[in-house]
Amino acid sequence: MHVRRKFVEAAKLHPKESLAHHAIDFIRALYQVEDKVRPLKGQSLDIHRRYETRQQEAKPILDTFKNWLDEKALKVPPKSKLGEAFTYALNQWDKVITYLDHGPYEIDHGLLENALRPFALGRNNWLFAGSPTGAKAGALFYSLIGTAKMNGLIPFDYLQSVFERIRDCWTEEVYRKLLPYSFSF
């Protein structure tokens, strides 16, 4: 995702058939492979199928992309936007390819960044939470709401149901059933 962003910034300064656009085409092809293995809502993730598909389809694209980056980087001024994109991609390469060997990993961390964004935006407001305990409570709710969203729950309905059921909890096992990842209405 970040490698793509660097090439998109460079592409804005270059004509259609530039190296930046070619790099974006490689990245687009990788995301097309991911679209094939991303589970639909309600389906479980098949990590073995995801791994196999990545090895068969994404790895050759990445190998070709890496060779292309190595070759073309020598011909691009390093201080230009395009040069910075090449340098960034090559410097991050070990991190870029990590997802290939791990079926549960996403190709990027965009979903996680989007889930954390409200937390980051609210961070300055917590300076005025009244006390460290108040700030901790706010952070706890942000975490619960974010986790509820990631598990396909509507946060308001989830919290309302939890508040109704929590008074009947007496064991850790029962409390755990109220967590978003194991919750059922």
Side-chain angles (χ1 to χ4, degrees):
M1 179 176 75
H2 294 287
V3 170
R4 181 187 176 280
R5 186 175 301 140
K6 297 282 186 186
F7 281 109
V8 167
E9 289 171 6
K12 291 176 184 175
L13 305 173
H14 295 278
K16 278 269 190 228
E17 297 300 319
S18 71
L19 294 176
H21 290 280
H22 197 63
I24 293 168
D25 289 340
F26 277 114
I27 296 166
R28 183 178 298 118
L30 293 168
Y31 277 91
Q32 288 171 345
V33 172
E34 287 304 296
D35 287 343
K36 292 179 183 179
V37 294
R38 187 169 287 122
L40 299 173
K41 198 169 199 129
Q43 291 181 338
S44 61
L45 175 66
D46 184 345
I47 60 174
H48 300 295
R49 180 176 159 260
R50 200 176 206 187
Y51 171 82
E52 290 298 324
T53 303
R54 285 175 175 169
Q55 293 300 312
Q56 292 169 5
E57 297 182 34
K59 189 173 184 326
I61 296 168
L62 281 163
D63 291 343
T64 304
F65 186 30
K66 174 68 163 71
N67 291 334
W68 181 86
L69 285 169
D70 288 336
E71 177 191 333
K72 300 298 182 188
L74 301 173
K75 301 171 184 172
V76 176
K79 299 285 186 191
S80 68
K81 275 285 187 199
L82 187 57
E84 289 173 6
F86 271 90
T87 301
Y88 184 82
L90 290 168
N91 286 344
Q92 298 299 316
W93 194 256
D94 288 342
K95 294 173 186 166
V96 167
I97 63 171
T98 301
Y99 83 101
L100 276 180
D101 295 325
H102 303 280
Y105 287 14
E106 290 293 326
I107 188 171
D108 64 39
H109 54 274
L111 290 174
L112 181 60
E113 283 186 6
N114 289 338
L116 292 175
R117 187 167 287 114
F119 182 82
L121 293 173
R123 182 175 32 216
N124 288 339
N125 295 332
W126 298 337
L127 294 173
F128 308 102
S131 69
T133 304
K136 189 174 180 179
L140 175 89
F141 277 105
Y142 266 104
S143 176
L144 268 177
I145 290 167
T147 308
K149 286 179 182 177
M150 288 175 60
N151 284 279
L153 301 172
I154 298 169
F156 180 83
D157 295 343
Y158 164 70
L159 288 173
Q160 185 177 22
S161 187
V162 166
F163 292 146
E164 291 169 358
R165 295 181 191 185
I166 199 163
R167 63 178 161 257
D168 297 326
C169 295
W170 297 103
T171 65
E172 183 178 336
E173 181 182 333
V174 178
Y175 277 113
R176 287 189 182 280
K177 289 180 181 177
L178 295 180
L179 294 172
Y181 58 84
S182 60
F183 187 80
S184 61
F185 283 96

